[in-house]
Amino acid sequence: MTDIKTRVEIAKKVVTGNVSMLDMLETAPATELMNWGIELAAQIAQDTNGMDDTTAEQAMEPRMKALRQFLRGAGNWAAGKYDAASRPDLKNKMSEHWKTLRGKDAPVDLGKLLSLVDDEAITPHQLILNLKELLSLPK
């Protein structure tokens, strides 16, 4: 059975090995998003503590996929790749990815999420910071 530290490192590598999803961003927002993704990947792996490898892999697979899709969507969003017509779809996709990776009870304020999408004055880095703050779960 893989120890939890190894499992966490493997999960982090899934995020860091997928840097192409952040190519559309400048350094500061890309770094912020990457670090957040690494943190989330580590939390997903930590949730498998005590599970055998097969069970852990089955538990992590859909959540890690949702994490990659969430990060890619957030990066494209911050880079301004969504127009007004695609924003409602973006909100729904981001919400679903978040709930898959954090659990169905994960808090998502869709109104605030949509207002972030609609704020054209916000910088990509600030958007990532605001998104992270909005979706952060209490510790």
Side-chain angles (χ1 to χ4, degrees):
M1 183 161 85
T2 305
D3 68 40
I4 195 64
K5 288 182 183 180
T6 302
R7 203 174 283 156
V8 167
E9 289 307 311
I10 292 168
K12 288 178 178 180
K13 287 178 183 177
V14 168
V15 174
T16 58
N18 219 339
V19 294
S20 65
M21 67 182 151
L22 304 176
D23 286 344
M24 75 292 290
L25 294 172
E26 293 182 15
T27 303
T31 300
E32 188 69 40
L33 191 58
M34 178 65 70
N35 288 339
W36 189 25
I38 290 168
E39 179 184 324
L40 291 168
Q43 290 170 3
I44 290 168
Q46 285 288 345
D47 290 346
T48 67
N49 195 13
M51 293 180 186
D52 64 73
D53 290 341
T54 301
T55 304
E57 186 176 321
Q58 289 172 347
M60 288 178 61
E61 185 179 344
R63 294 177 70 198
M64 291 299 293
K65 180 180 179 183
L67 175 60
R68 288 188 306 274
Q69 291 171 332
F70 179 84
L71 293 174
R72 182 170 281 112
N76 284 329
W77 173 12
K81 297 201 176 204
Y82 290 95
D83 61 14
S86 62
R87 288 180 184 152
D89 188 42
L90 168 64
K91 172 194 73 166
N92 292 331
K93 283 182 181 179
M94 296 292 287
S95 174
E96 288 307 311
H97 295 320
W98 185 252
K99 287 183 178 194
T100 299
L101 73 98
R102 294 300 287 201
K104 296 215 181 292
D105 295 330
V108 178
D109 185 330
L110 295 178
K112 286 185 181 178
L113 189 59
L114 190 56
S115 72
L116 284 177
V117 177
D118 290 335
D119 188 350
E120 293 179 9
I122 198 168
T123 66
H125 190 223
Q126 190 59 51
L127 187 140
I128 299 298
L129 292 171
N130 290 354
L131 184 62
K132 186 176 174 183
E133 181 180 337
L134 174 65
L135 296 175
S136 291
L137 294 175
K139 297 205 182 211

